[in-house]
Amino acid sequence: MLPESTEEPVYFLTEYLIEEREKPEKGSSEKGSSEYTVYRVKKSGDGFLRKVEALETIASGEEVVKYDKELNIKDRALLIETALKLCTGRVNTVIFTGVDRHVTIVHEPDPSAILEIEILDVAPPEPAWLSQVVRRLEASGIFGDLQVRFTENIVDLRRFEGEKSVFPCSSSGLEGKCLDSDILTEDGHLLVGCEISKTLFEMRFPELEYSFINICPFKSEIVVPSKSFITRCCRSEKSGLVNISGFEGAVVHWGASEYQVSEAVRNLVTRIRNKNSSAQDR
């Protein structure tokens, strides 16, 4: 509710106030739908209750709509995306109600505020392991405050299947030979793996000639990021924040836990936001 005057104190965290009032339908004596005015609060003082110095109108009347469903208002990207769909014509502000009945607003939603992060991985399994983990974490709401959205860049290794193809591990289910289960006796195989796979191949079959497709994101020509990314590597010492092909990224170990993946995403977002902020300050 809007205070009757600016003399009435407000809670110290209050940044905005929403005034709701009934408006009569044109040509009718009956009351119609509500209309809203959104104010920015200028306050002063200390303690839990602060004195209101002024109320600045930022949107009112036809500029404001109220979303008719409850949603997770901690998911900032979701709020921006939803508001963008509703901000047509004169509308520039959307009021949202959370599942906990708290209320927030989005004013002049800006899609550029949402940071896109690419999930860079290989398949099978299907879906790719890293994609499964990130999507589960995203659904839990753990990234809600980061204003991020994820896209997939998954390299399907099944295109390399064949009698002469060699893959690192038989658990992949790929059709061909595998370093952990097959003995090779002929030249001309195609090894699809990383640097460790290459080392193991040459240790086991030093006399054989072979071709090599590197799927390590640090050296690969096929597993390549196209934007800020998260990926994985079998060498734990490579884990952390990196820059590959000019894009900021985070690398987790192949055996990383959900917690470690979540932490890597958060560290990456912090790094990108800080760099963007520093660039704007110059």
Side-chain angles (χ1 to χ4, degrees), residues 5-261:
S5 73
T6 56
E7 295 300 319
E8 184 174 341
V10 295
Y11 191 57
F12 76 104
L13 291 178
T14 301
E15 298 293 335
Y16 300 93
L17 289 173
I18 301 170
E19 179 186 19
E20 179 180 4
R21 56 186 177 275
E22 294 290 335
K23 62 176 181 179
E25 293 287 353
K26 292 182 179 179
S28 172
S29 60
E30 296 182 3
K31 289 186 177 181
S33 59
S34 297
E35 65 177 9
Y36 305 90
T37 300
V38 180
Y39 300 93
R40 180 180 287 111
V41 180
K42 296 181 180 179
K43 55 189 182 294
S44 63
D46 299 314
F48 286 112
L49 296 178
R50 306 285 174 88
K51 179 182 178 182
V52 176
E53 297 291 348
L55 297 177
E56 175 190 355
T57 300
I58 65 170
S60 63
E62 295 179 358
E63 297 174 322
V64 186
V65 296
K66 185 176 183 180
Y67 190 60
D68 60 359
K69 297 178 182 178
E70 296 178 357
L71 44 63
N72 178 14
I73 61 174
K74 303 297 191 298
D75 188 337
R76 296 177 182 175
L78 175 63
L79 295 183
I80 293 172
E81 291 167 342
T82 305
L84 281 168
K85 297 175 183 177
L86 298 173
C87 287
T88 59
R90 295 190 60 190
V91 177
N92 61 23
T93 304
V94 182
I95 301 170
F96 292 102
T97 303
V99 294
D100 58 359
R101 306 298 296 167
H102 284 79
V103 175
T104 191
I105 65 166
V106 173
H107 177 62
E108 297 180 347
D110 179 7
S112 68
I114 300 175
L115 176 63
E116 281 197 5
I117 296 178
E118 185 173 78
I119 304 169
L120 181 64
D121 203 4
V122 297
E126 188 69 39
W129 180 87
L130 188 56
S131 182
Q132 291 185 52
V133 172
V134 171
R135 292 304 184 186
R136 285 202 307 270
L137 290 169
E138 182 183 34
S140 77
I142 200 168
F143 301 132
D145 62 310
L146 297 181
Q147 287 184 199
V148 295
R149 278 292 176 258
F150 297 93
T151 59
E152 270 95 0
N153 182 356
I154 308 299
V155 178
D156 192 341
L157 299 183
R158 284 172 289 202
R159 60 175 156 154
F160 300 114
E161 290 179 324
E163 292 184 4
K164 286 287 189 177
S165 297
V166 182
F167 300 100
C169 181
S170 55
S171 64
S172 67
L174 290 163
E175 294 183 7
K177 304 291 192 302
C178 295
L179 280 176
D180 65 347
S181 59
D182 290 294
I183 297 176
L184 309 180
T185 59
E186 299 177 351
D187 292 334
H189 286 90
L190 173 64
L191 174 63
V192 182
C194 63
E195 294 295 325
I196 290 180
S197 301
K198 184 174 185 293
T199 300
L200 290 173
F201 186 101
E202 293 175 354
M203 290 177 65
R204 291 195 65 197
F205 315 111
E207 73 284 358
L208 297 185
E209 294 182 1
Y210 68 100
S211 302
F212 178 50
I213 293 179
N214 198 332
I215 62 171
C216 173
F218 287 96
K219 298 183 178 181
S220 180
E221 295 182 358
I222 62 170
V223 184
V224 181
S226 63
K227 62 185 72 171
S228 300
F229 65 94
I230 181 169
T231 191
R232 54 186 180 137
C233 178
C234 59
R235 298 177 63 177
S236 59
E237 67 271 20
K238 295 283 190 178
S239 299
L241 298 177
V242 300
N243 188 296
I244 297 177
S245 300
F247 299 106
E248 298 294 333
V251 176
V252 297
H253 187 252
W254 277 62
S257 66
E258 279 78 357
Y259 174 82
Q260 291 168 321
V261 173

